[in-house]
Amino acid sequence: MARSMTAFGRSADVINGREITVELKSVNSKFLDYNIKLPRNYGVFEEKIKAHLQKSGVSRGKLDVYLSINEIESSREKICVDRAYAQSYIEACRELKDLFGLEDDITVMNIARNSSVFTSVTEEEDVEQLWNDVKSVVDSALEIFISGREAEGERLTKDLLDKKAQLVTLKEELAKR
């Protein structure tokens, strides 16, 4: 079956709290030429995507690949209490109360106003799990992309066969003259 080098495939899915979108677009080229655009912090996937596409049979064409990943459900940022600091801060507030005979209004909200009581921790991302998620969306886009190449290849084949038939008919008509 003939395959065109011109095709487009797009897929999007929400997996593990992320919206992942992949677009594949190619035009005719004698060699395989990749142009991959993806978020800066996911640059580790560039070579993985190239290898996966080649393994899947993409061997020619100027191929543009667009990948976007958007966090939609939860952030990897977690807020934690700095227990040692909070304890020291509360003790200092109590000492201040006792030293100056102040009203005791030590509440959670009063303590929380001091932002140093909290720390921000970024959970480490499971890169292998994320790659598996991205790969599944790449595979969906690739399926659409390849079927587009095959459909265009069939149209090109039919067009060439029609033109060949016209030439044969023309040759026969000229031979009769």
Side-chain angles (χ1 to χ4, degrees), residues 48-71:
K48 289 179 180 249
I49 290 171
K50 282 181 184 180
H52 186 66
L53 291 173
Q54 284 180 323
K55 184 177 160 187
S56 300
V58 178
S59 59
R60 290 183 65 190
K62 182 178 180 333
L63 182 64
D64 291 322
V65 180
Y66 301 95
L67 168 68
S68 71
I69 302 173
N70 296 311
E71 299 273 343

Side-chain angles (χ1 to χ4, degrees), residues 82-164:
D82 182 337
R83 291 174 185 247
Y85 181 87
Q87 183 176 354
S88 176
Y89 182 72
I90 292 168
E91 288 172 3
C93 287
R94 286 187 179 137
E95 182 180 343
L96 192 61
K97 175 188 100 44
D98 292 341
L99 276 173
F100 298 102
L102 300 172
E103 181 181 333
D104 186 356
D105 63 346
I106 299 175
T107 64
V108 170
M109 291 311 295
N110 285 337
I111 300 300
R113 287 186 184 131
N114 181 343
S115 61
S116 298
V117 169
F118 303 103
T119 59
S120 175
V121 177
T122 303
E123 292 179 349
E124 193 163 315
E125 193 161 30
D126 183 352
V127 177
E128 198 55 40
Q129 177 61 52
L130 181 55
W131 166 242
N132 288 330
D133 296 346
V134 167
K135 187 169 63 168
S136 73
V137 179
V138 168
D139 286 340
S140 296
L142 191 57
E143 188 176 315
I144 295 165
F145 176 81
I146 289 173
S147 69
R149 277 187 161 187
E150 290 171 350
E152 179 67 14
E154 287 175 20
R155 285 190 293 275
L156 289 171
T157 300
K158 182 185 180 311
D159 185 50
L160 287 172
L161 292 174
D162 289 348
K163 285 186 174 30
K164 179 183 174 188

